[in-house]
Amino acid sequence: MLPHRLNLRTSSPVAADSPSRCPACHADIASQDINITEGVAFCRSCHKLLRLKDVIASADDEALREAAKDEPPDGCWASDDGTEIIIGASARSLGGALGALAVTLFWNGIVSVFVVVAIAGTLLHTIGFIPNWFPSPNVNGGPTSSMSLGMTIFLWIFLTPFILVGLGMFGAFLVCVGGRTEVRIRDDVGTVFTGIGPLGWNRRFSPSLVRRVALEDHRWRDSDGDPQRRQQVVIEADKVLRFGTMLTEERRRFLAGMLMNELKR
Ligand SMILES: [Zn+2]
């Protein structure tokens, strides 16, 4: 029985490109069973009233699964030798690397001038003199040679955030050169590796306990307080794993689609 308020309209942009499916039983939902104004849909197969946003999310998941059946896009790989399934994506990006390198060199070039002064002051107050080979500006008689201990300490504290930001920029450069995310599934052990080249960390999960695989929005505020948004892959199993923010959208979607196909049938 159809609830009578589901007097459904036919103008449905949802059904335009991809067929709407019931998230529960995967049956097609006809466009006249979708009510945009009420934000609901009705599945005639399992007689369920559904939230429209669940139907849309389910249609997107379907698109992800389908796309992952094609050849992996550039920068992605997938293999299954019968014992182990490997699904991975690289964060490599030439444009990103060049951009990050330029910013890193510029920022650290400026910061390094002050770091050299701070090191010179530190040498002065620890070993008592500044070696001649040390590339400090105005070693003899200059401002460095008369820097007080308090000034040296202040300079280090003042410089710390600038040094950390510079290291972060360098890290972003390394990610663009060799960053990768790889999921391995073997027997009932799943591992998510995130790192740069061979360096990184592994997180384990249990493939048989996977309840959900999805692409989710990750929102945060940057150092200026501006809202930022990025998508990430989420695996909900014995624990919740989130990864893939450093990947391009195409690679992240491939990773998510492959994992949906492999982990959640
Ligand atoms: Zn259904």
Side-chain angles (χ1 to χ4, degrees), residues 96-205:
L98 292 177
L101 184 62
V103 171
T104 303
L105 290 177
F106 179 75
W107 180 273
N108 288 298
I110 293 171
V111 172
S112 68
V113 173
F114 296 96
V115 169
V116 162
V117 172
I119 292 173
T122 308
L123 289 173
L124 201 65
H125 292 287
T126 49
I127 61 173
F129 63 97
I130 301 166
N132 278 330
W133 51 262
F134 192 78
S136 168
N138 310 314
V139 170
N140 298 308
T144 314
S145 59
S146 58
M147 197 158 62
S148 71
L149 180 61
M151 187 61 199
T152 307
I153 294 169
F154 168 78
L155 193 56
W156 276 122
I157 294 170
F158 176 77
L159 284 175
T160 302
F162 292 90
I163 295 169
L164 291 177
V165 168
L167 287 175
M169 289 171 171
F170 183 62
F173 165 71
L174 290 180
V175 164
C176 290
V177 169
R180 70 191 169 92
T181 301
E182 194 170 76
V183 182
R184 288 165 180 264
I185 303 156
R186 190 185 188 121
D187 302 323
D188 196 33
V189 180
T191 334
V192 177
F193 172 88
T194 310
I196 297 161
L199 299 174
W201 66 94
N202 280 304
R203 285 173 290 169
R204 284 172 168 234
F205 67 95

Side-chain angles (χ1 to χ4, degrees), residues 21-29 42-50:
R21 295 236 174 103
C22 169
C25 72
H26 299 287
D28 282 351
I29 298 176
F42 183 75
C43 174
R44 288 179 188 278
S45 171
C46 61
H47 298 276
K48 261 192 194 140
L49 193 59
L50 306 156

Side-chain angles (χ1 to χ4, degrees), residues 1-21:
M1 270 289 281
L2 257 179
H4 72 274
R5 63 192 290 226
L6 260 172
N7 195 359
L8 299 154
R9 296 158 182 237
T10 42
S11 58
S12 154
V14 182
D17 46 354
S18 56
S20 303
R21 295 236 174 103

Side-chain angles (χ1 to χ4, degrees), residues 219-222 224-229:
R219 289 164 196 275
W220 75 100
R221 286 182 182 275
D222 66 12
D224 297 331
D226 297 324
Q228 301 281 324
R229 178 183 161 266

